[in-house]
Amino acid sequence: EPEVTQTPSHQVTQMGQEVILRCVPISNHLYFYWYRQILGQKVEFLVSFYNNEISEKSEIFDDQFSVERPDGSNFTLKIRSTKLEDSAMYFCASSPTNTEAFFGQGTRLTVV
Amino acid sequence: SQKIEQNSEALNIQEGKTATLTCNYTNYSPAYLQWYRQDPGRGPVFLLLIRENEKEKRKERLKVTFDTTLKQSLFHITASQPADSATYLCAINAGGTSYGKLTFGQGTILTVHP
């Protein structure tokens, strides 16, 4: 069964460093998303992406965040200058119809 | 303010019984409501979607109801098994310009005892 894959599974970074989280969505899906989940809290929407542009973004998704689909398969989330409060699980998801979402296994980001 | 609340943080039931989980929302008019399963350290897994004009949806041992008057969805797992133990999340698509954006509840941890 097709699945969303994310790399790396764990990332530890120093505060102020840039990180790039990578995702390969399901191949025939057109809608892509990033969510995050701080330990013990709700899954929170960050951004949606369709037709090579951002469709919607949350208040969390400030100027430190950016997304890119550099080629036909990858979808990346970049955090320019990480803060301690960026520590969380980051989930990529994709959808064929912009309704139900299929999530990857996540990247655990730890900022020290 | 907008809220999605799943009424129980944790639910413990005996194998073979029906688990019923509740999701209430306020100040939303969702186009869809969805249920996901999340295991520890893993991403949410899509289970069922129900539209605003649907009352009930079934898939194998799962059943979802949606009452837009009460602003509530119930999620049932019949003949529960220990393998059903997980956190169950409800999520709303707000519709309109926020069509694809999912807003999640905090989840209910279900434990099915053998």
Side-chain angles (χ1 to χ4, degrees):
Chain A
E1 184 156 334
E3 58 181 22
V4 175
T5 56
Q6 290 185 243
T7 54
S9 55
H10 294 91
Q11 173 98 43
V12 181
T13 189
Q14 296 254 332
M15 193 168 53
Q17 294 295 304
E18 174 183 287
V19 293
I20 298 176
L21 310 183
R22 303 181 191 278
C23 170
V24 179
I26 295 172
S27 63
N28 61 343
H29 287 187
L30 301 175
Y31 301 87
F32 314 113
Y33 318 90
W34 284 99
Y35 288 81
R36 79 171 187 189
Q37 187 174 31
I38 295 170
L39 189 64
Q41 297 189 24
K42 296 182 183 184
V43 176
E44 300 175 287
F45 171 82
L46 292 178
V47 66
S48 57
F49 191 87
Y50 170 72
N51 202 26
N52 282 320
E53 60 182 27
I54 290 174
S55 312
E56 186 169 3
K57 57 185 181 180
S58 71
E59 292 169 356
I60 303 166
F61 195 89
D62 62 22
D63 292 344
Q64 293 300 310
F65 290 85
S66 62
V67 290
E68 197 176 41
R69 189 152 160 83
D71 53 42
S73 58
N74 291 287
F75 181 50
T76 61
L77 174 70
K78 184 193 289 186
I79 309 175
R80 265 180 265 287
S81 178
T82 49
K83 303 190 275 282
L84 294 176
E85 54 264 37
D86 294 328
S87 296
M89 280 287 278
Y90 287 80
F91 295 111
C92 173
S94 67
S95 176
T97 56
N98 208 24
T99 51
E100 71 271 23
F102 296 86
F103 286 78
Q105 293 310 303
T107 294
R108 182 175 300 282
L109 177 66
T110 302
V111 183
V112 297
Chain B
S1 64
Q2 294 178 317
K3 281 186 189 176
I4 302 172
E5 290 182 332
Q6 295 186 241
N7 283 14
S8 304
E9 272 198 20
L11 182 64
N12 291 281
I13 64 167
Q14 211 61 36
E15 183 176 8
K17 301 291 186 187
T18 296
T20 298
L21 286 64
T22 306
C23 177
N24 294 289
Y25 59 91
T26 53
N27 294 320
Y28 283 103
S29 295
Y32 302 88
L33 190 142
Q34 305 184 31
W35 285 88
Y36 289 78
R37 170 184 173 139
Q38 188 175 29
D39 291 287
R42 315 277 282 185
V45 175
F46 171 73
L47 296 174
L48 278 171
L49 178 153
I50 188 163
R51 293 175 172 78
E52 59 181 334
N53 60 351
E54 296 177 316
K55 297 288 186 193
E56 184 178 297
K57 192 79 108 24
R58 290 176 188 258
K59 179 182 172 183
E60 297 171 353
R61 294 184 296 111
L62 308 180
K63 184 177 88 171
V64 174
T65 63
F66 193 15
D67 188 327
T68 54
T69 302
L70 289 179
K71 299 187 184 297
Q72 181 180 80
S73 175
L74 299 179
F75 177 76
H76 307 272
I77 306 174
T78 58
S80 59
Q81 305 163 0
D84 295 325
S85 299
T87 298
Y88 290 86
L89 309 174
C90 75
I92 285 175
N93 297 82
T97 57
S98 296
Y99 205 73
K101 170 185 170 183
L102 290 175
T103 304
F104 284 87
Q106 81 277 17
T108 295
I109 302 170
L110 174 67
T111 304
V112 181
H113 299 280

